[in-house]
Amino acid sequence: MHAAVPAPMRFRSAGPLRGTVTVPGDKSISHRSLMLSALAVGTSRIEGLLEGEDVLATAAAMRAMGAMIERSADGIWTVDGVGVGGLLQPATALDMGNSGTSTRLLMGLIASHPITATFIGDASLSKRPMGRVTEPLSLMGAEITASPGGRLPLMLRGICPAVPIEYRLPVASAQVKSAVLLAALNTPGITRVIEPVRTRDHSERMLAGFGAALTVEEIADGARLISLHGEAELKPQQIVVPGDPSSAAFIVVAALLVPGSDVTVANVGLNPTRAALFDVLRLMGGDIAYENAREVGGEPVADLRVRHSALANIAVPPDLAPSMIDEFPILFVAQALASGTGTTTGLEELRVKESDRLATMAEGLRAIGVSVEEREDGLVVTGTGGDPLPGGTTIAAKLDHRIAMSFAVAGLVSRGAVVIDDMAPVATSFPVFTDLMTGLGAEAIAG
Ligand code: S3P
């Protein structure tokens, strides 16, 4: 977990960004590869795993429940699984740190095992709602005692056999969908999840890849019905994790905004349920070329060549929200430098991320001189048309890695330096962020 001592860092403009960087492994896929490998019978091998704190929290939890997980000197991870149904009682509380994905997906896994686990997390995670997961898992038979408001710390008593359910997702959440599907793995019969709005589909892809009997059908109104036959036997896999588009997003926006920049971001996962930010930036006039398009680990991947561009604001279609849900903080920074007024709607979910990302971004943008209106479900940002922002202040990142990185990028296009009060949370998802940015020519000074 990241250090309790805050790590302030000052970012300021220092000329064009140039060069090529390779973005680290996808966080969502990394979590899922550890979890499913830990449930397979035999040894899986994972290449390109994101070695960020969130993923390491998942690895520690899977170890605590019996999986053998090792990293070799060349960065390859091997996992000896316990088999579906084979998870062991952890001896101590599972510390999830800052990671909502670890918490919600592991709650699903444990719900159908005859074990009891206590989940704890940091101050940010302890404010986030878990009721969205405890509701379906209770219907499957798990017993959950949560802190007031359905929050962490919570204790979950799994049950075996659990009861298969048909569950219609009340919120567009890949984490809730995945929690139910993972619980279904050790549940007899067929568990069905109905997803009215499409969310990231890494769980479905990977479950099928590990040999689970899973079908996905389009039903009425564009909804998807995902059916999983339980008591599955998962076969070990060789996994290659593609680069994380949610990390690439910060470099892509920085290159678009900093005059004279020409940057290639290699190894970017472009799963259509994840990559909408790049479509939106292109609609705004961003020069982003997809080069060397290929498949990595069953996911589309390309290298993105990004050149500085004059951006024009648009009304971002709300139906794109789930496929760029983590990218709104950095999109708001792009909007602040574009011409005209950019609007976003349908973003209520941003209020329950690592921080309330609508409030935190509105407050921070205002502090660095951006004209912004906060609405219940989105922001209205009036851009400068490319002129630098005033900057010259300190931003409270509120234990939210994506807020910290977004304002770091804003610092590169501000007249006065932008100080991030604490960059430590960046280690949850993108530990090499500052190194990659300074390697491209950005100026970042600790303290
Ligand atoms: C994730 C799903 C998203 C996303 C999070 C990772 C996942 O959350 O914000 O960073 O790996 O399933 P929701 O599904 O709750 O929107």
Side-chain angles (χ1 to χ4, degrees), residues 9-388:
M9 181 97 55
R10 170 182 301 268
F11 290 84
R12 68 170 175 229
S13 107
L17 303 176
R18 285 173 187 269
T20 298
V21 289
T22 300
V23 71
D26 188 277
K27 182 151 77 76
S28 293
I29 297 175
S30 295
H31 283 299
R32 288 157 172 81
S33 34
L34 285 172
M35 290 180 196
L36 293 188
S37 298
L39 285 186
V41 178
T43 307
S44 295
R45 183 180 177 279
I46 310 170
E47 190 182 325
L49 187 87
L50 170 66
E51 296 177 352
E53 289 170 356
D54 282 10
V55 174
L56 299 180
T58 290
M62 298 317 299
R63 280 193 187 109
M65 293 188 287
M68 298 258 292
I69 304 181
E70 271 165 22
R71 179 195 193 276
S72 61
D74 56 1
I76 305 292
W77 289 67
T78 52
V79 181
D80 279 308
V82 295
V84 169
L87 292 180
L88 304 177
Q89 171 70 43
T92 55
L94 302 177
D95 188 350
M96 303 284 94
N98 190 253
S99 180
T101 309
S102 309
T103 310
R104 295 188 177 125
L105 271 55
L106 288 173
M107 284 170 66
L109 271 188
I110 294 171
S112 57
H113 281 74
I115 58 182
T116 299
T118 301
F119 290 83
I120 57 172
D122 73 3
S124 153
L125 184 59
S126 303
K127 286 189 199 135
R128 300 181 65 186
M130 297 297 153
R132 54 182 56 197
V133 184
T134 58
E135 186 196 278
L137 298 180
S138 305
L139 294 172
M140 296 180 81
E143 281 176 41
I144 297 128
T145 311
S147 297
R151 302 199 153 86
L152 258 47
L154 70 71
M155 197 176 81
L156 187 151
R157 187 186 304 275
I159 185 161
C160 186
V163 183
I165 57 170
E166 176 172 310
Y167 192 69
R168 191 180 173 90
L169 295 176
V171 277
S173 167
Q175 293 181 348
V176 179
K177 168 176 67 177
S178 303
V180 176
L181 292 175
L182 292 174
L185 276 177
N186 196 39
T187 299
I190 302 177
T191 297
R192 296 182 176 84
V193 181
I194 297 165
E195 180 175 64
V197 178
R198 190 162 191 197
T199 66
R200 66 188 66 190
D201 62 0
H202 306 302
S203 295
E204 296 93 305
R205 286 179 189 236
M206 203 177 279
L207 281 162
F210 270 84
L214 172 133
T215 58
V216 182
E217 296 158 63
E218 295 271 343
I219 54 171
D221 298 330
R224 293 159 82 238
L225 168 65
I226 305 150
S227 308
L228 184 90
H229 284 255
E231 298 179 310
E233 183 165 323
L234 302 184
K235 294 175 206 69
Q237 300 297 307
Q238 312 272 319
I239 299 167
V240 183
V241 180
D244 198 327
S246 299
S247 296
F250 299 100
I251 305 173
V252 167
V253 169
L256 289 174
L257 298 186
V258 176
S261 296
D262 184 348
V263 170
T264 298
V265 191
N267 188 37
V268 183
L270 292 174
N271 179 313
T273 62
R274 293 290 299 285
L277 172 75
F278 306 124
D279 301 330
V280 168
L281 291 170
R282 282 171 134 187
L283 285 173
M284 292 169 68
D287 181 351
I288 305 174
Y290 292 13
E291 294 178 346
N292 193 15
R294 57 201 185 271
E295 267 219 358
V296 173
E299 300 265 351
V301 165
D303 303 332
L304 305 190
R305 179 161 183 201
V306 189
R307 278 169 272 207
H308 168 66
S309 309
L311 301 179
N313 272 314
I314 59 170
V316 179
D319 55 309
L320 292 182
S323 38
M324 54 181 289
I325 195 68
D326 293 334
E327 281 62 78
F328 284 97
I330 191 61
L331 174 73
F332 298 143
V333 173
Q335 290 178 324
L337 272 293
S339 59
T341 297
T343 54
T344 41
T345 50
L347 303 185
E348 298 85 350
E349 273 296 299
L350 292 198
R351 296 203 180 274
V352 292
K353 295 294 180 188
E354 285 82 331
S355 69
D356 174 343
R357 286 182 173 161
L358 292 179
T360 318
M361 285 305 300
E363 193 186 317
L365 286 171
R366 243 178 247 127
I368 58 171
V370 179
S371 159
V372 50
E373 183 194 330
E374 180 184 344
R375 297 188 174 158
E376 204 39 57
D377 68 338
L379 298 186
V380 180
V381 178
T382 302
T384 62
D387 290 340

